[in-house]
Amino acid sequence: MTAPVTLTRHGDIALLRIDNPPVNALSPGVVAGLASAVDAFEADRSFKALLVHGEGRTFVAGGDINSFDDPHFSAKLYNGTLARIEALDRPVAAALHGTVLGGGLELALACHYRVSVPTAVFGFPEVKLGILPGSLGTQRLPRVAGAELTLDLIGTGRSIDAAAALKAGIVDEVREGEPLQVGLAFVEALIARSAPPRRLSERSVSLEGLPADFFDKALDEASRRKAFYPAARNIVLAVQASTLPFAEGEAVEARLFEELRTSPQSQALRHLFFAERQASKIPGLPKDLSLRPVRSVGIVGAGTMGGGIAMNFANAGIPTVLVETSQEALDRGLKAIRGNYEASAAKGRLTTAQVAERLGLLSGTLDDASLAGCDLVIEAVFENMDLKKQVCARLGQVCKPGAIIATNTSTLDVDVLAEATGRPADVVGTHFFSPANVMRLLEVVRGATTAPDVLATVMQLARTIKKIAVVSGVCYGFIGNRVAEVYMREAEFLMMEGASPAEIDGAVEALGMAMGPCRMLDMAGIDVGAKTVIEYGKAGGLPPDDSYRAVVRRMFELGRFGQKTGVGYYRYDGRKPVTDPETARVAEELAKAHGIARRSDIGAQEIVERLLVPMINEGAKILEEGIAYRPGDIDMVWTSGYGFPDHRGGPIFMADQIGLPVVAERIAHYASVRGNPYGYWTASSLLTDLASQGRKLSDWTAA
Ligand code: 3H9
């Protein structure tokens, strides 16, 4: 193994090379290597300058996120080394390429000069991990780019390109070329003109042009709009401290960084960072598996779902044909797509040329024989087993050999649909979330006979269309809707027992949930929800309990479909939900019909437990049954597809933070007070086993 940091000679120049693939993250080895390289440079007075450079595809993409979990983590050695680099009495330059992020940008800012290739990207993404730049980024950046841009970049975590970095003064020069050669030429020029060392820590921060209450306002906004994210406030305080003498600002940054690093919010966000990357990995697939080429896509159904799915492919430059059964439906679908693109253009997110290009990649037809040339065909017709079976059977005949047939179902049995095609190995489930052109989650459902290359191709394609893909096995609702089912079940029981939709939603929204279950179903459509339950009943999946999801079924009968009809669990004043006494009346009537006792003592704590604990339990069953590959997959599904707060890391991560023994005790408690005739409160054996062993769900891996 090569050393992660080396110092070599290039004429008069000392070349410090960081080589820690894949992204040159600042592992403890890199940090120690940097310190040794500085020792060596200091000791050898024959060098006239130092050039810092990253080997491979990038400079340094940041601190090693794994290391932040170490209880003994300390940034002291790294920060001290950066101070030593800055203090060197011979010029130091950084040659920048790839992603210059977080601790990588902090290293660059400690150097005296910075040169970049045009394709490099700069930023401080720490806020997305719930922390702030902890190696003086909050102190050095304002000294070069000003407090306002610093707060914007560190507060949002957004990246900028080399041209913007040049304009902001973050880099001194942008040059085309191979990064190392660009760096060497730059340093040779520094030596030739006897350029002196320049130290950002010796500069002061100018607040010229900023209103006197600039930081107060920023702090107020962070507290109000990002109340769940302590990093937002700490970032403002740290940048504000850059107006103090450097050493004082440094101490403030260190304290605020440490507060965040150990916060549950940051632990949750770091968990999701790795969960997202893990989710794309499929255990057991051969490394050299060749993928099926996907150069053209067909979509059956140009409704909201089909249209949204088609846009993903057009956005990625893949020609896509939409098939409908009537000209009217096709025209409506294509018009909606055009409208979506034009709305994006009006907001400045797309140019007119981009709109034209994307629309040019989309076509429509009434003739499903046009699908014969497609490499991938996704059926996106109405969620009805008979209809989907018919469509799948037809696709089995029309699609060319080797084409992938995908079914966009949210609950139905993918194995049955695969069988209907007559070529089940080519079939996979692709569960897009609505609006499909916006939502990042894609559940990829592997059937019992899905060919490995089909699964791997769709996972790769998901990356191309910028989705977070999570693999699920076949079961009712897959990972996401299966967990949602128990959540909705309890929400409805709570309603029948006497809690109002506003109380139920309010309790989970106070945890940070984007939307409570009642608002969520009103938005998704009570008709859609009820039909799914009814279909599941027809397939024999429901418990023998007449009160099961009785509210949604009754609301459906009453034509209360949610936002689309202006009444659902709530009454809608425009898009604003207003409490509707009719919902309470319906719930009371159903409670009476099903012998459910009404209560007036249902508090927020009980609501949260009744909704969350069954989700965790169902998640554990999903793992036990091998439906999800790993615990983090369930967290990814719920945080990226269902508005579960990312600062809580997802239901499984949250279960571990609460403690599995507590979760197991709550399951037993509700089994005893609610009764358990239908197994709603039967604990998963995985959960109880892990709880008794003092282990966590997140650490569990399939045998
Ligand atoms: C920080 O810098 C704090 C500082 O202030 C200093 C404090 C002392 N650490 O995303 P990819 C792994 S905080 C550890 O698939 P891409 C990743 O898990 C940090 N590992 O590639 C994956 O591993 P695997 C601030 C990391 O090309 C592999 O590298 N910086 C790190 O799509 C490839 O990653 C950030 O937040 C890391 N920092 O995207 C940047 N980064 O193959 C975080 C990556 O086993 N990183 N890995 O699954 C990114 O945003 C993307 O990885 C990047 C490349 C854009 C760089």
Side-chain angles (χ1 to χ4, degrees):
M1 222 178 100
T2 54
V5 179
T6 50
L7 193 78
T8 53
R9 178 174 289 280
H10 187 94
D12 291 340
I13 303 170
L15 184 60
L16 189 161
R17 188 193 305 251
I18 302 172
D19 185 6
N20 184 31
V23 297
N24 289 333
L26 299 160
S27 64
V30 170
V31 172
L34 281 171
S36 306
V38 175
D39 290 343
F41 179 76
E42 275 176 340
D44 190 337
R45 298 299 304 175
S46 67
F47 288 124
K48 290 195 173 151
L50 176 68
L51 176 65
V52 182
H53 149 79
E55 185 63 33
R57 63 172 157 133
T58 186
F59 184 67
V60 171
D64 181 349
I65 301 167
N66 288 298
S67 66
F68 301 150
D69 286 336
D70 181 346
H72 306 297
F73 173 86
S74 163
K76 274 198 181 127
L77 177 60
Y78 186 54
N79 295 1
T81 305
L82 295 190
R84 287 176 62 204
I85 289 176
E86 193 183 47
L88 290 169
D89 60 359
R90 288 159 283 170
V92 184
L96 305 170
H97 74 292
T99 41
V100 186
L101 301 176
L105 182 50
E106 287 171 313
L107 170 59
L109 290 171
C111 297
H112 304 146
Y113 297 91
R114 289 159 289 278
V115 63
S116 166
V117 295
T119 49
V121 172
F122 301 80
F124 280 117
E126 281 87 343
V127 67
K128 297 178 190 166
L129 300 166
I131 52 174
L132 52 73
S135 294
L136 285 315
T138 65
Q139 305 303 300
R140 286 200 176 93
L141 186 62
R143 287 173 158 81
V144 65
E148 193 172 14
L149 181 62
T150 298
L151 206 49
D152 166 18
L153 291 179
I154 300 182
T156 60
R158 75 182 174 93
S159 301
I160 54 173
D161 62 15
L166 181 66
K167 192 164 164 233
I170 296 170
V171 295
D172 301 293
E173 199 177 313
V174 177
R175 264 194 217 178
E176 293 272 2
E178 194 280 318
L180 179 57
Q181 297 312 318
V182 164
L184 289 169
F186 181 82
V187 176
E188 274 157 13
L190 287 181
I191 295 172
R193 66 179 162 93
S194 304
R198 287 181 326 184
R199 301 180 184 97
L200 287 177
S201 66
E202 290 171 0
R203 291 200 203 166
S204 57
V205 177
S206 161
L207 296 178
E208 212 182 295
L210 291 182
D213 61 354
F214 174 73
F215 286 111
D216 291 344
K217 270 197 160 155
L219 200 59
D220 181 55
E221 188 163 314
S223 310
R224 272 187 302 110
R225 297 183 47 181
K226 302 267 177 188
F228 287 115
Y229 300 89
R233 261 180 75 82
N234 282 18
I235 284 169
V236 179
L237 293 170
V239 176
Q240 185 172 27
S242 70
T243 57
L244 302 170
F246 194 79
E248 286 178 41
E250 177 172 3
V252 173
E253 185 198 82
R255 177 177 56 77
L256 295 169
F257 172 81
E258 199 51 23
E259 236 175 68
L260 296 174
R261 182 184 72 82
T262 51
S263 68
Q265 291 86 347
S266 175
Q267 288 169 29
L269 292 164
R270 275 150 33 201
H271 157 72
L272 290 174
F273 174 85
F274 290 113
E276 179 176 340
R277 281 151 185 85
Q278 280 300 311
S280 62
K281 301 189 168 78
I282 304 170
L285 284 194
K287 283 226 161 18
D288 55 353
L289 190 70
S290 50
L291 303 185
R292 299 191 189 184
V294 179
R295 298 189 196 94
S296 60
V297 173
I299 314 273
V300 183
T304 315
M305 215 30 167
I309 296 172
M311 287 174 75
N312 286 298
F313 294 105
N315 295 347
I318 302 173
T320 302
V321 57
L322 283 139
V323 179
E324 256 301 348
T325 46
S326 78
Q327 190 62 43
E328 198 197 341
L330 186 60
D331 290 346
R332 208 181 318 121
L334 291 170
K335 192 172 159 213
I337 294 176
R338 177 181 292 277
N340 269 334
Y341 278 134
E342 283 169 354
S344 296
K347 287 180 198 143
R349 292 195 194 128
L350 288 179
T351 62
T352 8
Q354 282 170 320
V355 172
E357 190 189 323
R358 290 172 198 204
L359 286 171
L361 288 165
L362 292 166
S363 57
T365 177
L366 300 180
D367 179 9
D368 64 8
S370 317
L371 297 170
C374 295
D375 298 316
L376 162 72
V377 177
I378 303 176
E379 72 74 19
V381 301
F382 196 68
E383 184 82 349
N384 173 290
M385 186 48 120
D386 293 338
L387 176 63
K388 285 207 190 261
K389 264 164 89 173
Q390 261 176 42
V391 172
C392 284
R394 174 77 186 136
L395 290 180
Q397 293 161 358
V398 174
C399 295
K400 66 182 178 189
I404 297 174
I405 301 174
T407 166
N408 178 57
T409 171
S410 52
T411 52
L412 299 177
D413 189 330
V414 171
D415 289 333
V416 172
L417 294 169
E419 213 46 58
T421 63
R423 42 194 278 193
D426 291 334
V427 179
V428 64
T430 49
H431 178 205
F432 285 85
F433 287 70
S434 189
N437 53 317
V438 177
M439 294 291 288
R440 288 198 66 208
L441 178 64
L442 173 66
E443 272 184 312
V444 175
V445 186
R446 62 171 203 286
T449 49
T450 303
D453 64 338
V454 167
L455 190 58
T457 301
V458 171
M459 292 301 281
Q460 174 62 38
L461 192 62
R463 211 177 155 96
T464 308
I465 62 171
K466 299 195 170 73
K467 296 288 178 203
I468 297 175
V470 178
V471 178
S472 171
V474 175
C475 66
Y476 174 76
F478 317 124
I479 297 173
N481 281 344
R482 176 164 162 185
V483 170
E485 187 60 31
V486 297
Y487 177 70
M488 295 309 305
R489 177 195 80 206
E490 283 309 307
E492 292 198 11
F493 281 135
L494 282 163
M495 250 185 269
M496 288 187 273
E497 285 164 51
S500 71
E503 284 165 343
I504 295 169
D505 288 347
V508 285
E509 285 165 15
L511 286 182
M513 197 84 190
M515 228 181 252
C518 304
R519 283 214 289 145
M520 186 170 88
L521 200 55
D522 267 359
M523 198 183 75
I526 285 187
D527 52 335
V528 179
K531 281 183 196 162
T532 311
V533 176
I534 293 164
E535 276 284 308
Y536 191 38
K538 279 192 208 155
L542 295 185
D545 172 8
D546 289 345
S547 65
Y548 184 88
R549 307 281 323 258
V551 184
V552 77
R553 287 187 275 174
R554 183 79 188 114
M555 291 286 182
F556 176 54
E557 281 163 16
L558 293 171
R560 297 172 72 97
F561 294 172
Q563 273 189 24
K564 66 175 92 162
T565 54
V567 280
Y569 293 122
Y570 295 93
R571 176 168 294 282
Y572 286 84
D573 179 4
R575 295 182 69 160
K576 193 173 154 239
V578 185
T579 294
D580 186 353
E582 182 60 10
T583 302
R585 199 197 57 73
V586 169
E588 191 171 353
E589 183 186 284
L590 289 169
K592 209 166 158 195
H594 295 293
I596 294 173
R598 299 278 288 174
R599 300 159 49 205
S600 56
D601 62 346
I602 305 173
Q605 173 79 12
E606 177 179 344
I607 293 173
V608 167
E609 287 179 2
R610 293 265 305 268
L611 296 185
L612 187 66
V613 168
M615 289 171 77
I616 295 168
N617 197 33
E618 202 62 30
K621 289 180 187 170
I622 283 173
L623 291 172
E624 227 173 337
E625 292 168 24
I627 298 296
Y629 287 131
R630 47 186 92 76
D633 288 0
I634 300 171
D635 288 337
M636 263 342 283
V637 166
W638 264 74
T639 50
S640 60
Y642 294 81
F644 198 96
D646 56 1
H647 56 84
R648 297 200 185 267
I652 302 294
F653 186 81
M654 205 173 158
D656 288 334
Q657 294 220 319
I658 295 167
L660 294 188
V662 177
V663 175
E665 184 280 319
R666 290 285 86 191
I667 295 174
H669 166 77
Y670 286 110
S672 90
V673 297
R674 298 266 315 121
N676 192 26
Y678 305 106
Y680 300 152
W681 294 100
T682 300
S684 121
S685 48
L686 175 66
L687 193 146
T688 46
D689 286 353
L690 292 176
S692 65
Q693 294 161 14
R695 290 172 60 203
K696 292 181 168 188
L697 269 171
S698 309
D699 297 337
W700 178 86
T701 45

